[in-house]
Amino acid sequence: MRTPALSSRLGAEALGTFWLVFAGCGSGIFSAKYLAPSVVAGQGVQVGIGFLGVALAFGLSVLTMAYAVGHVSGAHFNPAVTIGVAVARRFPWTDVPAYVGSQVGGGLLAGLALWGIARGVPGFDATGHLAANGYGEHSPGGYTLVAVLCAEAILTAFFLYVILGATDDRAPTGFAPIAIGLALTLIHLISIPISNTSVNPARSTAVAFFNGNGAPAQLWAFWVAPLVGAAIAGATYHLVTGIDRRDEDITGVVDPEDLRPTS
């Protein structure tokens, strides 16, 4: 078994992050609230997917792409995950900048696609309506900066704990994407009202500049808190669990015969 070329892994990370942002944020933009006309009631009927549907969309996006390309790149799709597993010494620091760059790039492409599609409705105003994260007046529930920072750090830390545990060779084989996807779903069920849920700086960056309305100015919080939470989890997982797998990389592995010839 061999680790795929860095270019292949970066392509997989960009693809996976694109899908996470497009599916997750897209569900919030297009489907969370949808009013269908009702002849009987004489007014619109809410048939949208709501918070539960958005939470499932984020979880399913990670689950499906982890199965699709996890064997290529390790299925990080998130700068906080990449840095967290690097702190845990399960991913090489030399590859971190490239992974983060590909994740942010893939996310921005998804944000651009969402912005373009959303403008397909006459009169649509993107400002404040592109599923951006926020605190204070930009928090769905009006939560303060301190509350948002705490929630984002704690939830990202537990997301990393799940990832580090589910990818252990002694965990049930083949089920890691399910555990990770369900963990992300649970995280969204908890925190959509708090911050619109980030736990992923690439997801936050992807829509912030298209959304405007204060999101770019608040973006720093959705880099700092997830990275701090991920670093804490990466540094403490082996101490808390007593399981030290710091020599096992969370990267892709493929059979040599499946690699595309380079010439």
Side-chain angles (χ1 to χ4, degrees), residues 6-262:
L6 181 60
S7 59
S8 299
R9 290 186 281 140
L10 297 183
E13 284 296 302
L15 185 68
T17 310
F18 181 101
W19 183 234
L20 184 154
V21 172
F22 189 85
C25 294
S27 69
I29 296 168
F30 305 123
S31 304
K33 184 178 181 180
Y34 187 82
L35 296 177
S38 172
V39 177
V40 176
Q43 59 186 4
V45 177
Q46 163 66 351
V47 294
I49 60 176
F51 284 174
L52 175 58
V54 174
L56 283 170
F58 273 100
L60 288 172
S61 69
V62 169
L63 186 156
T64 52
M65 267 297 159
Y67 276 121
V69 300
H71 55 286
V72 179
S73 68
H76 298 189
F77 314 146
N78 182 339
V81 171
T82 297
I83 289 173
V85 297
V87 171
R89 291 168 55 184
R90 293 184 58 189
F91 186 76
W93 279 103
T94 53
D95 289 349
V96 167
Y99 261 57
V100 171
S102 67
Q103 292 155 0
V104 172
L108 285 169
L109 287 175
L112 177 62
L114 291 170
W115 175 78
I117 293 170
R119 295 180 70 225
V121 174
F124 175 79
D125 182 7
T127 304
H129 298 101
L130 284 181
N133 303 114
Y135 56 83
E137 65 178 338
H138 300 297
S139 158
Y143 286 83
T144 66
L145 170 60
V146 173
V148 167
L149 290 175
C150 289
E152 288 286 331
I154 291 169
L155 292 169
T156 309
F158 274 88
F159 190 39
L160 259 292
Y161 285 135
V162 171
I163 291 170
L164 292 170
T167 53
D168 191 305
D169 291 340
R170 290 161 292 189
T173 303
F175 288 95
I178 297 175
I180 293 166
L182 289 176
L184 190 60
T185 299
L186 176 58
I187 286 167
H188 279 77
L189 289 175
I190 295 167
S191 60
I192 289 177
I194 300 173
S195 63
N196 219 18
T197 311
S198 172
V199 303
N200 184 339
R203 170 262 188 270
S204 298
T205 304
V207 295
F209 298 98
F210 298 103
N211 181 88
N213 194 37
Q218 294 190 351
L219 184 58
W220 67 270
F222 301 100
W223 275 86
V224 171
L227 293 183
V228 168
I232 291 172
T236 61
Y237 178 80
H238 70 287
L239 299 174
V240 173
T241 64
I243 299 172
D244 192 346
R245 299 185 71 244
R246 289 179 290 172
D247 59 342
E248 301 290 335
D249 286 351
I250 299 180
T251 52
V253 289
V254 294
D255 290 326
E257 59 266 26
D258 292 333
L259 293 174
R260 183 180 60 190
T262 57

